[in-house]
Amino acid sequence: MLSRVAESIYWMSRYLERAESVARLVDVNLHLTLDAAADYGDQWEPLIDTVGGQPLFAGRYGVAERDSVMRFLTFDRENPNSILSCAWKARENARSVRDTISSEMWEQANRFYAFLKGYAESDYALMNPHDFYTEVKMATHLFDGIADATMSHGDAWHFLRLGEMVERADKTSRILDVKYFILLPRWQGIGSTVDSIQWAALLKSASAFEMYRKKYKSISPAKVADFLILNREFPRAIRWCLDQAAESLQCLSTGMRQSAPNQAERRLGRLVSELHYARIEEVISRGLHEFLEDLQGYLSSVHEAIAETFFSATLPLTEPVKSVALGGGQ
Amino acid sequence: MYRMGITFAVYGGAEGAEKILPFDIIPRIIDASEWNKIEQGLKQRGHAINLFLADIYGKQRILSEKIVPRELVLSAPTYRPQCVGLTVPRGIWNHISGTDLIRDETGQFYVLEDNVRCPSGVSYVLENRRILKRALPQVFDASRVRAVDDYPSRLLNVLEFLAPTPMDSAVTVVLTPGMYNSAYFEHAFLAQQMGIELVEGRDLLVIDDAVYMRNTRGLERVDVIYRRIDDDFLDPLAFRSDSLLGVPGLMRAYQAGNVALANAPGTGVADDKAVYAYMPKIIKYYLGEEPLIPNVPTYLCGEKRDRDYVIANMENMVIKATDGSGGYGMLVGPTSTASDRALFREKITAHPRQYIAQPAMSLSRAPVLVEGHFEGRHVDLRPYVLYGQEIYVLPGGLTRVALKRDSLVVNSSQGGGSKDTWVLQS
């Protein structure tokens, strides 16, 4: 498929996943502040750290509180990672590849943006946050379902999944990083009710609570970290995401001219192996925060290798070229 | 419609502004015998235009024999000296055309304009039909309406017919200027319906006079390009050098016979509005037949007698730029102001070759639903013609509607709307 189209699909998918992650993050924080305001405090600042954009936020809103953070992360067009900005970029990418994706996917990307735009000027989201963020999550789930059910699972679909999985792995690591940082000191006081509520909230932000309960009965920070990083079955666990990404990458790489693994495969393959063989005790003793930071850095190098390998072709697929004058006017 | 994203972009508005082409639910109905005349007339015209193009870029007999003034053709801005001597694949230049027809108060159809560059609108025909089938299934069922749905597969056949390689292995693409073009929706729609790639200029490159597209696994050879980019922007090495939309070296690859383009470059000269005035003579010259669908009487401002008449009767004329399209840069006499007319008088005097005028015809009207009741609005009709192994006229076409009462301008870029067109089976 066309490199430009592959790149747009990849980004469309990343932006939709990012919109969903931001919605999850805001939603869970709302629950935390409702359930345990006295103990947990009104912690809105860390959300901005997770998504990025602290200087922009400070310049535009000043104090980080419920309404200002919600507006910034949900509807602010100046914030490149707000849900609305992500939905807009996803829609524009979708628009540029609407002949490749199914019409149903395009309609859903378009509808998602129209839905957000419709609420951008009203207070509906601030007044009914739970309903609103649930709708956002459902809209992106619907897109994923439509993509799975209406598009051939060929190259375009693999680029879609690659973008989604790389983004989701990154966001899970960021959510975990921030929450862990806030929650860990409190946990030392041994599982009070409040603590388990908060850890449960962290799991819920990844829709992981029920699935976690089926695997582990009690809630402990190490087990939560294990579940969200190393679980091989849960679809928001980092390892699961990267297994999927590696599978797509392999499909995308078959039939290329060179037979050796490409740069993207090599980098992702190494990361996946590490997650396959790591144990959570080691990770924690080495420092969870450092581990997650390394992982994020490594993921961004995987992304760069994907871009280099697939989005900037220079050699003919079949017959060799006589004169490789690729510079000419390009 | 917005949800379905059937939109077009309007130039000169906010950047990337999208609008919905307003759609009127009441179909326009054309019976079989009337359609038959239109179909024959359009086939005749398509055939003659192809012979005309081959001639003026070849031996130029029609110019030597002074049937059409040489100066008039060579001075058309859409005449491309780069195409002189070109051998086009299968000898066809105008593969896809969309001819604008109007009907006067007596029911007589006239050709208002030939569009043989990159006529747009066929996607609306297909989408309008889809909506009407959904909205009025019983009426539709009882009316025995001829199908238009196979247009994309017929178009693909025409394109593959041109391939320098065997047809079944031909790699065919649609070349678009990109998503900010007013007809982008259509480009994407057609590519999707034909199951072929929609490419932009930056997706293609030319190596050793062969065209390749940049794929994720490497470069892939391209055989046929349905280009929806004007000649000017096609290849910066052959045409406008500041074009960022085109593909450097594309013309050389075309001249070498390594890739086919539809339509061929240079076809625009046949829809130049001054050349249009000679179309009855062109048909007669090549085919020895009278035109089956007449022209609207046309005055050429380049000729003194006509010009004087136009300037004296501006209130009753529609004045158009000869290389214009989309309803931009025209004067509709009956609704114009004195200052509009003064402006056009100056323009015509300064560049007479660039303007033609036609009497403001009383276009036929069709009923339109306006706020719950019917009102008459002026309409025209654009049928689509494909020229491959044979000439095919899509039974239907885009009926464009002036949505403002009494307006004669039906272009979508000027606030016009559309209707489905039902051609009945005999």
Side-chain angles (χ1 to χ4, degrees):
Chain A
M1 67 183 303
L2 286 173
S3 297
R4 173 181 54 81
V5 171
E7 189 169 11
S8 291
I9 289 178
Y10 174 85
W11 278 110
M12 170 186 74
S13 180
R14 283 199 75 154
Y15 282 126
L16 284 172
E17 183 64 33
R18 192 171 297 175
E20 181 184 329
S21 300
V22 175
R24 288 178 178 282
L25 209 60
V26 177
D27 195 31
V28 76
N29 217 54
L30 281 162
H31 283 250
L32 276 177
T33 52
L34 284 179
D35 285 341
D39 210 54
Y40 174 76
D42 221 11
Q43 302 221 36
W44 287 93
E45 193 114 23
L47 257 67
I48 300 169
D49 296 336
T50 315
V51 181
Q54 183 54 256
L56 182 69
F57 177 84
R60 284 174 66 74
Y61 299 89
V63 187
E65 53 192 18
R66 179 186 185 273
D67 287 11
S68 61
V69 173
M70 277 171 68
R71 280 205 180 285
F72 179 71
L73 292 181
T74 311
F75 294 122
D76 195 334
R77 284 179 191 273
E78 300 290 314
N79 173 8
N81 292 318
S82 72
I83 297 176
L84 185 65
S85 296
C86 289
W88 161 251
K89 284 184 278 193
R91 176 190 183 269
E92 286 303 277
N93 276 298
R95 190 151 83 96
S96 75
V97 296
R98 55 188 286 185
D99 62 308
T100 305
I101 60 178
S102 68
S103 337
E104 290 87 347
M105 287 164 72
W106 154 248
E107 286 181 18
Q108 178 56 17
N110 200 26
R111 202 184 291 132
F112 179 47
Y113 174 67
F115 155 77
L116 289 168
K117 207 174 102 180
Y119 286 123
E121 299 305 322
S122 78
D123 283 336
Y124 173 82
L126 296 181
M127 307 295 283
N128 309 280
H130 181 68
D131 290 350
F132 176 79
Y133 292 105
T134 302
E135 275 191 76
V136 171
K137 281 186 279 183
M138 283 307 167
T140 56
H141 287 328
L142 182 55
F143 182 89
D144 293 344
I146 289 172
D148 264 13
T150 63
M151 186 183 190
S152 296
H153 289 203
D155 283 3
W157 185 82
H158 284 297
F159 278 110
L160 188 86
R161 190 166 71 156
L162 195 55
E164 182 183 17
M165 291 304 149
V166 168
E167 181 70 25
R168 189 184 291 172
D170 178 73
K171 285 296 170 287
T172 298
S173 81
R174 286 172 197 273
I175 291 172
L176 186 61
D177 197 11
V178 168
K179 292 296 167 196
Y180 207 87
F181 192 69
I182 298 166
L183 294 177
L184 197 57
R186 296 171 180 278
W187 179 75
Q188 316 293 25
I190 317 288
S192 66
T193 325
V194 171
D195 284 332
S196 61
I197 285 172
Q198 289 171 2
W199 285 103
L202 169 58
L203 287 166
K204 280 176 185 162
S205 77
S207 298
F209 180 66
E210 289 153 20
M211 296 301 137
Y212 175 90
R213 279 291 202 201
K214 289 187 204 308
K215 188 166 167 62
Y216 305 106
K217 297 289 167 282
S218 62
I219 293 183
S220 86
K223 285 176 185 161
V224 170
D226 185 50
F227 192 74
L228 290 179
I229 299 173
L230 300 178
N231 191 277
R232 61 151 80 174
E233 290 167 347
F234 182 67
R236 307 197 77 82
I238 296 171
R239 175 186 163 178
W240 188 89
C241 293
L242 296 181
D243 278 346
Q244 301 290 309
E247 196 181 289
S248 283
L249 200 52
Q250 197 191 4
C251 293
L252 291 169
S253 304
T254 52
M256 294 187 94
R257 280 184 95 189
Q258 72 277 22
S259 50
N262 56 50
Q263 180 78 323
E265 284 181 295
R266 278 202 301 276
R267 285 187 187 165
L268 184 58
R270 275 192 210 135
L271 184 54
V272 166
S273 310
E274 184 172 344
L275 293 173
H276 279 200
Y277 298 108
R279 289 174 56 232
I280 198 66
E281 293 76 15
E282 290 162 24
V283 169
I284 289 175
S285 70
R286 240 174 63 198
L288 183 71
H289 175 67
E290 289 72 16
F291 174 85
L292 293 172
E293 223 171 37
D294 286 352
L295 183 111
Q296 287 156 19
Y298 209 81
L299 270 178
S300 91
S301 82
V302 168
H303 162 75
E304 281 161 23
I306 290 171
E308 212 171 280
T309 308
F310 297 104
F311 306 153
S312 47
T314 49
L315 287 176
L317 176 58
T318 47
E319 58 205 275
V321 249
K322 278 164 263 162
S323 63
V324 189
L326 296 180
Q330 300 302 312
Chain B
M1 287 274 241
Y2 197 77
R3 180 175 65 79
M4 291 187 286
I6 306 175
T7 59
F8 65 96
V10 178
Y11 299 117
E15 195 191 337
E18 286 173 63
K19 296 197 173 173
I20 301 160
L21 182 66
F23 171 63
D24 182 68
I25 194 88
I26 306 158
R28 176 194 197 170
I29 294 169
I30 299 179
D31 68 37
S33 68
E34 195 170 24
W35 180 256
N36 191 37
K37 283 184 237 160
I38 293 175
E39 186 173 340
Q40 294 312 317
L42 293 174
K43 284 184 176 174
Q44 179 195 49
R45 210 166 171 102
H47 191 186
I49 287 175
N50 193 44
L51 293 170
F52 173 68
L53 288 165
D55 189 18
I56 59 160
Y57 291 119
K59 298 195 173 111
Q60 303 194 333
R61 285 190 313 145
I62 198 166
L63 307 182
S64 311
E65 295 179 28
K66 298 193 173 17
I67 310 292
V68 180
R70 183 178 296 270
E71 194 38 41
L72 182 104
V73 171
L74 302 192
S75 66
T78 46
Y79 173 78
R80 306 287 171 193
Q82 296 90 334
C83 295
V84 172
L86 209 59
T87 321
V88 298
R90 307 274 185 183
I92 307 166
W93 295 72
N94 51 329
H95 316 92
I96 300 111
S97 48
T99 308
D100 291 343
L101 304 176
I102 55 170
R103 197 161 59 165
D104 68 8
E105 60 275 25
T106 68
Q108 171 68 49
F109 274 99
Y110 295 86
V111 174
L112 181 68
E113 262 177 46
D114 297 290
N115 294 290
V116 265
R117 282 175 272 180
C118 306
S120 61
V122 74
S123 57
Y124 295 117
V125 175
L126 305 181
E127 286 291 287
N128 288 351
R129 178 62 57 87
R130 197 167 69 102
I131 294 168
L132 266 202
K133 273 198 222 163
R134 209 154 63 185
L136 308 169
Q138 293 91 345
V139 184
F140 192 83
D141 214 30
S143 305
R144 294 168 31 87
V145 181
R146 289 182 65 187
V148 293
D149 316 31
D150 61 346
Y151 179 84
S153 55
R154 285 179 185 270
L155 174 59
L156 185 61
N157 282 342
V158 168
L159 296 171
E160 289 180 341
F161 178 59
L162 306 172
T165 49
M167 271 176 74
D168 53 355
S169 63
V171 176
T172 304
V173 300
V174 177
L175 174 61
T176 173
M179 61 191 275
Y180 296 107
N181 182 268
S182 62
Y184 178 74
F185 161 73
E186 174 157 309
H187 306 161
F189 177 84
L190 288 174
Q192 188 176 44
Q193 295 296 314
M194 291 190 282
I196 61 178
E197 290 286 1
L198 177 69
V199 303
E200 296 178 14
R202 59 191 158 124
D203 297 324
L204 300 180
L205 81 168
V206 177
I207 303 171
D208 289 343
D209 293 342
V211 182
Y212 295 86
M213 60 179 159
R214 300 168 196 272
N215 279 350
T216 55
R217 289 195 176 82
L219 303 179
E220 187 183 0
R221 182 78 182 264
V222 174
D223 303 306
V224 185
I225 301 176
Y226 175 29
R227 50 98 174 197
R228 296 291 300 255
I229 291 184
D230 280 340
D231 291 352
D232 271 338
F233 301 100
L234 209 48
D235 177 353
L237 301 180
F239 301 105
R240 268 175 65 166
S241 58
D242 60 342
S243 168
L244 300 174
L245 303 174
V247 186
L250 181 59
M251 266 307 270
R252 280 194 48 171
Y254 182 66
Q255 284 156 346
N258 291 334
V259 69
L261 296 172
N263 289 347
T267 48
V269 66
D271 68 26
D272 180 274
K273 292 184 175 68
V275 172
Y276 159 88
Y278 286 88
M279 208 46 80
K281 287 182 182 169
I282 291 171
I283 292 171
K284 181 104 200 210
Y285 178 75
Y286 292 110
L287 304 177
E289 298 167 2
E290 292 301 323
L292 298 172
I293 312 174
N295 265 17
V296 176
T298 300
Y299 300 90
L300 298 174
C301 296
E303 293 179 11
K304 187 168 182 325
R305 240 182 52 201
D306 284 11
R307 179 166 68 240
D308 292 345
Y309 179 82
V310 170
I311 288 179
N313 294 282
M314 285 179 96
E315 295 87 343
N316 305 317
M317 296 275 173
V318 175
I319 300 170
K320 301 173 180 174
T322 49
D323 61 345
S325 65
Y328 291 95
M330 63 189 272
L331 176 86
V332 181
T335 56
S336 64
T337 63
S339 68
D340 292 340
R341 290 194 294 274
L343 179 70
F344 265 77
R345 200 171 298 127
E346 268 173 48
K347 286 187 183 179
I348 292 171
T349 316
H351 304 285
R353 167 66 179 83
Q354 289 176 18
Y355 292 91
I356 57 131
Q358 294 165 334
M361 307 269 289
S362 52
L363 289 183
S364 65
R365 294 188 209 217
V368 168
L369 199 56
V370 181
E371 288 162 7
H373 63 278
F374 294 117
E375 284 188 16
R377 288 289 185 274
H378 293 300
V379 292
D380 77 350
L381 173 64
R382 176 180 287 185
Y384 294 85
V385 182
L386 294 177
Y387 196 151
Q389 271 164 302
E390 52 182 12
I391 301 181
Y392 166 78
V393 182
L394 181 71
L398 186 64
T399 291
R400 296 187 298 178
V401 187
L403 286 184
K404 290 175 202 149
R405 191 192 302 234
D406 299 327
S407 168
L408 292 173
V409 183
V410 295
N411 300 77
S412 52
S413 39
Q414 310 292 332
S418 77
K419 273 176 174 296
D420 192 12
T421 312
W422 288 7
V423 172
L424 304 185
Q425 286 168 6
S426 48

